[in-house]
Amino acid sequence: MKIYNTLSKRKEEFVPLEEGKVKMYVCGPTVYNLIHIGNARPMIVFDTVRRYMEHKGYEVNFVSNFTDVDDKIIKKAIEEGVDASIISERYIAECKKDMEAMNVRSATTHPKATEEIGGMLDMIETLIEKGHAYAAADGTVYFRTRSFKGYGKLSHKNLDDLQGGNRSLLVTGEDQKEDPLDFVLWKPKKDGEPYWESPWCDGRPGWHIECSVMSKKYLGEEIDIHAGGEDLVFPHHENEIAQSEAANGKPFSKYWMHNAFLNIDNHKMSKSDGNFFTVRDISEKYDLQVLRFFMLSAHYRSPLNFSAELMEAAQNGYDRIVTSVSNLSYLLENSVSDTISEDEQKLLEEAKGFITGFDEAMDDDFNTADAIAAIFELVKFANVHAKADCSREFLQTLKDEIIMLSDICGLIVEKKQEMLESDIEALIEERQAARKAKDFKRADEIRNDLLAKGIILEDTREGVKWKRA
Ligand code: AMP
Ligand code: ZN
């Protein structure tokens, strides 16, 4: 399996630190609003990376944080006249709903910055002891950027170019820095802001330190993969490397993966520019599986332009897989043949080629565009060869294979049949009859079966009513 590593700027063979295990950290969202579909891109991409790694047999420890203390969260809390934690908790809950709707699995651990302040204070202290950080007169603690030899190795920037060409790095209020390149680890509180006590001043952490600390706590000092959107390469990930490697004296992450932007009219989709659609907006018009399909139809390192036409194409592509699976289910239900024929066996051998094609695409730096093309080939093959007189084993194998490949992409392609009203009512009648006959066991059984299918019964004075959960 090859992964493009931002650090070396080339595709490298993936060799985990520990055999059979993957330690992976993905920078998560700052929670002050509903997430937009740009934020959804890394979620979908790296969830798919995780799923594929698990399919290959790796045990993946997947950590993704919520940044729950930040200027934007505090601003919103002040606007609403509530505590910052009310804002962050609200949008963490909303983000989790969106993730679930996009079939993005929960991380093994979702740490929150505000719950990891102790670890941040420890790491900052270590950095000061080792001469990599210093406290200014007002209590702000800065990382001494030039003290870390490898600074710039991820973003492939040269320190002197940075200093010469980017004076704007010298931000107002940060004039106590020894060097304009130094960045904040800890800053003094302002009125009305959340703060924590520290040896330097009451205050709060800078943004970068949280990921170094959480990654170390939940995955260890050295990890396999660190990931996020490409805007995080500089300064966020560059600063994380400096903090972690200076504090721990070890290489931080072996592979660095970055997704390209989701654009709109060829500009990065972002909250601050006001050119965005939230995941919630999209869910009003499309099944979010279509959004997932759309994201995976491009390679994660290629920019992707959001448009109604591309979403329509994604809808058609996704529907093609769903229709094929439901056609196979129908044939399966009606098949009368128990024995697989030799011809069918040969066809299944041929179909294995599409699975190999899928794996080859994914092994090549997670080329989901080609992997989806391989699913389409399998779908086309099934559409041609699955007939009413086919054996159950043949039909089931094709169906399982399409579902397996789709599932690696996190695409749900088997639509569960909703129970028909007439079937529900027949069961309710049977339950009433069982109750009359004092067969409460059967009555309860029916109630529970219906519940398992998402049908809730309510005994009211006017009789039994039901609703879908
Ligand atoms: P933020 O909440 O801005 O820190 O972003 C959370 C994640 O979404 C980071 O990995 C960002 O790189 C990523 N991200 C934000 N906007 C976009 C976009 N338009 N396209 C792709 N990724 C994005
Ligand atoms: Zn981060």
Side-chain angles (χ1 to χ4, degrees):
M1 182 165 46
K2 287 204 158 58
I3 296 184
Y4 180 89
N5 192 349
T6 309
L7 206 51
S8 63
K9 289 203 224 144
R10 49 183 186 82
K11 284 185 200 168
E12 292 174 27
E13 190 59 35
F14 178 69
V15 184
L17 291 163
E18 197 180 327
E19 211 187 314
K21 298 201 169 157
V22 180
K23 298 183 207 103
M24 180 163 179
Y25 187 99
V26 180
C27 291
T30 307
V31 279
Y32 67 103
N33 225 325
L34 290 175
I35 58 163
H36 61 69
I37 57 175
N39 303 132
R41 189 170 189 193
M43 287 179 180
I44 291 172
V45 162
F46 297 116
D47 178 60
T48 306
V49 168
R50 173 193 195 180
R51 285 169 183 266
Y52 185 63
M53 296 245 180
E54 287 182 351
H55 164 72
K56 298 270 276 193
Y58 289 107
E59 190 187 303
V60 184
N61 191 346
F62 189 99
V63 176
S64 188
N65 63 310
F66 286 116
T67 298
D68 63 347
V69 55
D70 157 273
D71 289 344
K72 293 182 245 70
I73 300 173
I74 294 168
K75 183 165 168 264
K76 185 137 184 162
I78 292 169
E79 275 164 20
E80 289 194 21
V82 296
D83 204 73
S85 65
I86 302 279
I87 302 292
S88 57
E89 286 304 318
R90 181 197 303 158
Y91 290 108
I92 286 173
E94 296 299 340
C95 178
K96 285 185 172 170
K97 278 190 216 158
D98 286 339
M99 284 169 63
E100 196 181 333
M102 295 187 293
N103 204 24
V104 169
R105 283 167 49 203
S106 285
T108 317
T109 317
H110 275 295
K112 297 178 206 163
T114 54
E115 291 174 4
E116 308 290 343
I117 302 289
M120 297 190 217
L121 297 179
D122 289 346
M123 190 176 274
I124 296 171
E125 212 140 40
T126 306
L127 289 169
I128 294 177
E129 275 164 21
K130 292 191 170 184
H132 289 295
Y134 57 95
D138 69 348
T140 308
V141 183
Y142 294 102
F143 187 89
R144 191 173 273 130
T145 300
R146 283 181 192 277
S147 75
F148 178 68
K149 293 284 164 286
Y151 198 84
K153 66 180 170 183
L154 181 71
S155 51
H156 307 282
K157 289 181 194 290
N158 174 310
L159 274 189
D160 295 320
D161 290 349
L162 272 179
Q163 180 146 25
N166 208 344
R167 301 304 300 184
S168 64
L169 284 175
L170 187 58
V171 177
T172 335
E174 294 185 2
D175 48 357
Q176 300 177 29
K177 286 176 176 182
E178 288 175 0
D179 185 314
L181 287 178
D182 296 350
F183 60 89
V184 173
L185 298 172
W186 187 264
K187 55 186 169 189
K189 69 171 180 184
K190 291 196 200 121
D191 279 349
E193 290 188 355
Y195 69 91
W196 291 263
E197 288 175 5
S198 85
W200 317 288
C201 63
D202 288 351
R204 61 186 169 98
W207 170 34
H208 316 296
I209 192 75
E210 71 180 77
C211 292
S212 286
V213 167
M214 296 179 198
S215 180
K216 178 174 176 173
K217 175 163 170 190
Y218 295 100
L219 298 171
E221 291 178 343
E222 291 182 81
I223 69 169
D224 294 294
I225 301 174
H226 197 113
E230 68 181 4
D231 52 337
L232 300 188
V233 175
F234 186 85
H236 185 53
H237 286 165
E238 197 70 72
N239 291 354
E240 278 189 44
I241 293 179
Q243 294 162 160
S244 295
E245 298 193 354
N248 305 329
K250 288 187 184 152
F252 180 25
S253 178
K254 252 183 119 171
Y255 304 88
W256 288 84
M257 294 179 73
H258 294 97
N259 64 273
F261 290 143
L262 178 76
N263 293 328
I264 203 161
D265 298 330
N266 297 311
H267 290 289
K268 179 195 173 196
M269 183 174 287
S270 83
K271 286 247 167 69
S272 43
D273 293 345
N275 62 341
F276 66 90
F277 291 108
T278 62
V279 169
R280 227 39 84 77
D281 293 333
I282 299 301
S283 73
E284 282 168 18
K285 202 154 172 225
Y286 297 96
D287 181 339
L288 289 179
Q289 292 296 299
V290 175
L291 179 68
R292 185 160 184 134
F293 186 99
F294 161 76
M295 296 284 186
L296 298 178
S297 62
H299 188 270
Y300 74 92
R301 284 189 292 113
S302 304
L304 180 58
N305 210 39
F306 180 80
S307 71
E309 294 78 49
L310 284 180
M311 283 299 283
E312 287 309 314
Q315 175 84 62
N316 292 337
Y318 173 65
D319 286 350
R320 210 185 314 164
I321 308 176
V322 172
T323 308
S324 178
V325 169
S326 75
N327 189 35
L328 285 165
S329 302
Y330 175 81
L331 292 173
L332 253 172
E333 269 172 39
N334 295 292
S335 164
V336 288
S337 162
D338 272 331
T339 26
I340 183 161
S341 70
E342 259 179 46
D343 280 351
E344 287 178 332
Q345 262 159 353
K346 275 195 204 127
L347 284 172
L348 288 184
E349 274 308 309
E350 208 182 309
K352 286 216 176 80
F354 304 123
I355 301 182
T356 312
F358 178 94
D359 281 354
E360 279 170 2
M362 292 298 272
D363 281 342
D364 183 17
D365 191 31
F366 308 96
N367 191 335
T368 52
D370 286 358
I372 287 179
I375 302 181
F376 278 153
E377 294 209 45
L378 180 59
V379 161
K380 202 161 94 193
F381 184 87
N383 292 349
V384 170
H385 296 290
K387 306 245 167 61
D389 58 357
C390 288
S391 71
R392 269 194 284 277
E393 186 177 336
F394 176 73
L395 296 166
Q396 187 72 56
T397 307
L398 285 178
K399 181 179 160 185
D400 288 349
E401 286 173 350
I402 297 175
I403 290 177
M404 175 189 75
L405 299 187
S406 304
D407 185 56
I408 294 170
C409 298
L411 292 167
I412 302 168
V413 292
E414 187 174 30
K415 295 282 170 189
K416 297 277 175 254
Q417 289 288 333
E418 283 217 330
M419 277 192 86
L420 295 175
E421 285 190 21
S422 53
D423 292 341
I424 298 169
E425 266 142 28
L427 279 168
I428 292 176
E429 259 173 49
E430 195 191 330
R431 177 170 170 264
Q432 293 300 79
R435 283 168 63 153
K436 232 183 209 162
K438 300 218 174 334
D439 182 357
F440 296 113
K441 191 167 159 264
R442 176 68 190 139
D444 281 350
E445 220 170 65
I446 294 173
R447 170 189 278 276
N448 292 336
D449 282 356
L450 284 169
L451 194 62
K453 288 179 178 131
I455 307 297
I456 300 166
L457 299 188
E458 281 169 342
D459 293 308
T460 71
R461 240 180 270 157
E462 297 90 57
V464 182
K465 291 196 172 154
W466 64 270
K467 61 177 185 197
R468 295 189 199 271

